[in-house]
C-alpha cells in the first residue's frame, strides 16, 4: 500500500472545501434571498411613489395619469389619478418593506401590475420610436422585472420554499 493512497490529494481536499463553501452559500441564499427581494421591491415601490406625491417630480407622471384616466373611463383623472397611483405604490412598498400584511400588498400589486403594464397596449405609440423603446417604454419594460420578482415573493408568501437538489 502506497502512502499516497492513504491520504487525500490536494485536489480532493480543495474540491471538498469548495463544496462545503457552496453548501454554506446555498443555505444563506435559501434562508434570506426572498426576504432581500421583498425588501428591495418595497424600496423600489416607495421610491417611485415618493416622486408621484410631488407634481412634476416623476418622469412617468403623464403616463400614470393617462393610464389611470383610461382604465377608470375618466372617473379618476389629473391630480387624483396621480395621487391614487402614489397611494397604491406606497401601500405596496410599505407592506413589502415591513413584511406586515404582505399578502394584502401583493394583492394590491397584482391589480397595480395590470395598470403598470397596460400602457404597452393602451399607448403603443408612446412606447416605441424608430430606434426602439422610448424613455416611457423603457420605464414600463423595467416593470417586467418587478413582476417576476413579485411572483417569487408571492410564491413564498403562499408557502412555496426554495429547495436544493438534496431536498428533492
Amino acid at each position: 500500500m502506497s502512502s499516497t493512497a492513504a491520504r487525500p490529494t490536494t485536489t480532493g481536499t480543495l474540491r471538498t472545501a469548495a463544496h462545503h463553501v457552496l453548501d454554506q452559500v446555498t443555505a444563506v441564499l435559501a434562508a434570506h434571498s426572498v426576504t432581500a427581494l421583498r425588501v428591495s421591491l418595497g424600496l423600489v415601490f416607495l421610491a417611485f411613489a415618493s416622486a408621484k406625491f410631488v407634481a412634476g417630480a416623476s418622469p412617468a407622471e403623464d403616463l400614470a395619469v393617462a393610464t389611470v384616466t383610461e382604465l377608470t373611463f375618466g372617473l379618476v383623472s389629473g391630480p387624483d389619478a396621480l395621487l391614487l397611483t402614489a397611494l397604491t405604490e406606497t401601500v405596496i412598498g410599505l407592506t413589502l418593506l415591513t413584511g406586515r400584511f404582505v399578502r394584502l400588498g401583493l394583492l394590491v400589486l397584482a391589480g397595480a401590475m395590470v395598470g403598470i403594464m397596460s400602457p404597452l397596449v393602451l399607448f403603443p405609440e408612446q412606447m416605441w420610436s424608430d430606434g426602439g423603446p422610448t424613455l416611457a417604454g423603457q420605464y414600463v419594460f423595467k416593470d417586467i422585472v418587478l413582476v417576476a420578482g413579485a411572483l417569487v415573493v408571492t410564491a413564498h408568501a403562499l408557502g412555496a420554499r426554495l429547495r436544493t437538489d438534496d431536498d428533492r
Side-chain angles (χ1 to χ4, degrees), residues 45-58:
F45 272 95
L46 286 174
F48 289 158
S50 66
K52 290 181 181 82
F53 280 111
V54 179
S58 172

Side-chain angles (χ1 to χ4, degrees), residues 1-2 14 18 33 42 61 85 98 100 125 132 137 156:
M1 174 149 105
S2 77
L14 288 175
S33 61
E61 179 177 323
T85 303
T98 64
R100 296 183 54 95
E125 69 284 352
H156 190 265

Side-chain angles (χ1 to χ4, degrees), residues 22-23 25-30 161-168:
L22 287 175
D23 288 344
V25 169
T26 300
V28 169
L29 290 174
R161 295 296 177 258
L162 293 174
R163 296 183 305 180
T164 65
D165 289 336
D166 296 337
D167 295 336
R168 294 182 187 162

